Amino acid sequence: MSIADIARPEVRHLKAYVAAEQITGMVRLNANESPESPWADLDRTPLNRYPPVRPAALQERMARFYGVSPKNVLATRGSTEAIETLIRTFCRAYRDNVVVTPPTFDMYKVYADIQAVELNEVPLIAERDFAFDADAVIAAANDESKLIFICSPNNPTGTMAAPEDILRVAAARRDRSVIAVDEAYIEFSGRESMIDAIDAYDNVVVLRTMSKAFALAGARCGALIGTEEAVTMLSRVLSPYSFSTPVTERVLDAMTEEGFDEAKALVRRTVGERERLAQALADCDAVDRVWPSRSNFLFVRFQDVDSVREALRDRKILIREFKSLPDYHGCARITVGTPAENDRLLAALGRC
C-alpha cells in the first residue's frame, strides 16, 4: 500500500485542473487575462497575468532550505491551508475521523467540522507538562482514523513530542493513517525537524510556515513536505493560482542567505527573551504556573485571569485566553514580544 490508498476514493481518481499554458515569449491569448496593466508602475511584476499554477521558484527555494527535492514540497497559503487540504484529501464526511491531542491548535477541529469529520481526541498528559502519549494515540486510532495531527512544538502549550514517539505512531499506523507533524514553531525549539522521516515513512508529512521565524505572518506562506506521491496528490486538490505574484516575490526576497541569517538572529533574540520572561513571570504574584516552552510563546496559569485580562487591557496589552478549554480555566498564552513589550507586560502584571 501507499499513502494514496489512504485518500478518499474520489481524490485517488481526481484529474488535476489543466491550466492555460504559460510560455515565456509567447503571445498569451489563451487564459482570458487582461492584455495590459494600468497599475504596472506600482508592481515589480505587472499583475494582469495569472501567476504560475504552482510557484515553482518558491518551492525550489524552500526545498533548498528544508534539504529536500522540490518534488517533496507543496507551497501553501500558511500551514493552515495544508491542514485543510489534508483533511479534504483523506477524510470522508460523516465516516472518517481525525486524531488530535488537546489542548492543541484549534484549526484542526475547525477544518474537521467543515468537512463533517469526527474529532478523535487523545489529551496530552497535563501531569507531565503536557507530554505526548504515543501509546494512547495508537490505542485510540481505528480503521476510520485517516489523519493524526501532532503539533510539535504544540500550540498553546509550547511542549514537544519526542521524535521516537512520533516514529512509533507512524510505524503503527503505516498504510492506515497519515501522520501530519505540524512544525510551525520548530525553529524556536533547538530540536531537529522530522523532515528526514519522510524517507522511511511515506505516511508522514511535515508542515512548516514562514509566519513565525521569518516574521512573514502577513504573507500567508507555508509548506507541506512529504513524498513525491503525497505532494502530487495533494496538489491536485489544492486550488490553482493559489499564490499571488507579490507574495511569491516577497517570500523569495526573504529566503536568501541574508534572510536566513536575519531569521536565525530573530530566533536567538526571541529564545533569549522567552527564558527571561518565563523566569520573571514565575516570580510574579499574579502567576500560578509557567510551563516550559520550546516555542515563541509561554503557557501561563494566573491566580485570577479575569482581573489580569482587564488590567492588561487597560494598559493596551493583549494576551490569548482559552475559555474553550474548561480544564485549563485561568490559563493564557503569551507571545514573546520585544524586550520593551515584555517589560511593559511585567510592569502591568506587577500591579495586579
Side-chain angles (χ1 to χ4, degrees):
M1 292 182 68
S2 69
I3 193 170
D5 296 312
I6 305 173
R8 291 166 47 204
E10 302 90 339
V11 170
R12 290 201 296 269
H13 304 296
L14 182 67
K15 301 294 184 183
Y17 173 73
V18 179
E21 289 183 282
Q22 298 175 324
I23 302 176
T24 302
M26 302 289 280
V27 177
R28 289 171 55 164
L29 304 180
N30 61 338
N32 297 340
E33 302 159 318
S34 173
E36 57 186 79
S37 173
W39 326 110
D41 292 343
L42 303 177
D43 305 303
R44 185 191 310 180
T45 302
L47 302 182
N48 57 306
R49 302 295 183 182
Y50 282 110
V53 174
R54 295 285 172 258
L58 177 57
Q59 292 184 161
E60 289 171 4
R61 190 76 58 85
M62 286 178 159
R64 289 204 297 272
F65 178 64
Y66 296 130
V68 296
S69 164
K71 295 179 180 179
N72 297 122
V73 178
L74 180 63
T76 57
R77 289 170 292 190
S79 55
T80 51
E81 185 176 52
I83 295 166
E84 179 189 24
T85 304
L86 283 165
I87 293 175
R88 286 195 290 131
T89 299
F90 291 100
C91 297
R92 299 164 296 178
Y94 304 108
R95 294 181 63 178
D96 295 326
N97 67 75
V98 170
V99 180
V100 296
T101 56
T104 193
F105 188 35
D106 284 341
M107 292 308 294
Y108 308 141
K109 173 176 170 50
V110 170
Y111 287 129
D113 286 347
I114 291 171
Q115 186 67 13
V117 172
E118 182 184 354
L119 215 61
N120 185 348
E121 296 185 322
V122 183
L124 299 173
I125 306 173
E127 299 79 14
R128 290 171 45 200
D129 288 338
F130 299 108
F132 175 76
D133 191 339
D135 291 330
V137 168
I138 293 169
N142 53 44
D143 290 343
E144 285 71 45
S145 299
K146 297 301 178 67
L147 267 171
I148 299 174
F149 283 105
I150 303 174
C151 191
S152 184
N154 183 53
N155 176 10
T157 64
T159 49
M160 296 194 73
E164 57 270 23
D165 286 340
I166 296 174
L167 295 181
R168 190 148 55 87
V169 174
R173 297 299 301 175
R174 195 192 292 269
D175 302 332
R176 291 183 288 174
S177 301
V178 175
I179 315 303
V181 186
D182 188 343
E183 293 185 340
Y185 302 93
I186 190 68
E187 290 90 349
F188 302 95
S189 71
R191 301 273 185 89
E192 293 296 320
S193 168
M194 295 296 297
I195 287 174
D196 288 347
I198 69 173
D199 293 331
Y201 298 91
D202 67 354
N203 63 326
V204 170
V205 297
V206 175
L207 311 184
R208 299 292 292 267
T209 183
M210 302 293 292
S211 295
K212 313 302 178 181
F214 280 85
L216 289 173
R220 307 307 302 128
C221 179
L224 180 146
I225 299 100
T227 64
E228 181 179 349
E229 182 181 30
V231 167
T232 299
M233 181 172 58
L234 290 159
S235 183
R236 294 201 299 263
V237 177
L238 196 65
S239 62
Y241 311 121
S242 57
F243 262 83
S244 71
T245 298
V247 167
T248 297
E249 292 176 344
R250 180 64 186 87
V251 178
L252 283 172
D253 287 345
M255 296 196 79
T256 61
E257 290 302 322
E258 180 181 0
F260 296 153
D261 289 342
E262 290 177 355
K264 290 176 183 176
L266 173 60
V267 167
R268 285 195 298 271
R269 292 195 298 273
T270 301
V271 169
E273 277 298 292
R274 180 187 73 200
E275 299 310 307
R276 180 178 79 90
L277 184 60
Q279 183 59 58
L281 287 170
D283 295 336
C284 179
D285 290 340
V287 173
D288 183 56
R289 183 171 182 185
V290 181
W291 278 272
S293 174
R294 288 190 171 272
S295 190
N296 70 334
F297 55 80
L298 295 166
F299 196 54
V300 178
R301 184 167 61 221
F302 290 100
Q303 299 281 356
D304 184 348
V305 72
D306 295 328
S307 297
V308 166
R309 177 186 62 247
E310 295 309 313
L312 293 181
R313 278 184 173 272
D314 288 345
R315 293 167 177 83
K316 309 298 184 185
I317 300 170
L318 298 176
I319 58 175
R320 180 70 177 271
E321 285 183 78
F322 288 88
K323 296 179 180 178
S324 61
L325 302 175
D327 292 339
Y328 303 101
H329 178 72
C331 293
R333 188 190 66 199
I334 301 176
T335 304
V336 177
T338 65
E341 289 170 337
N342 298 331
D343 287 343
R344 183 172 168 179
L345 168 74
L346 293 169
L349 288 175
R351 301 187 182 99
C352 293

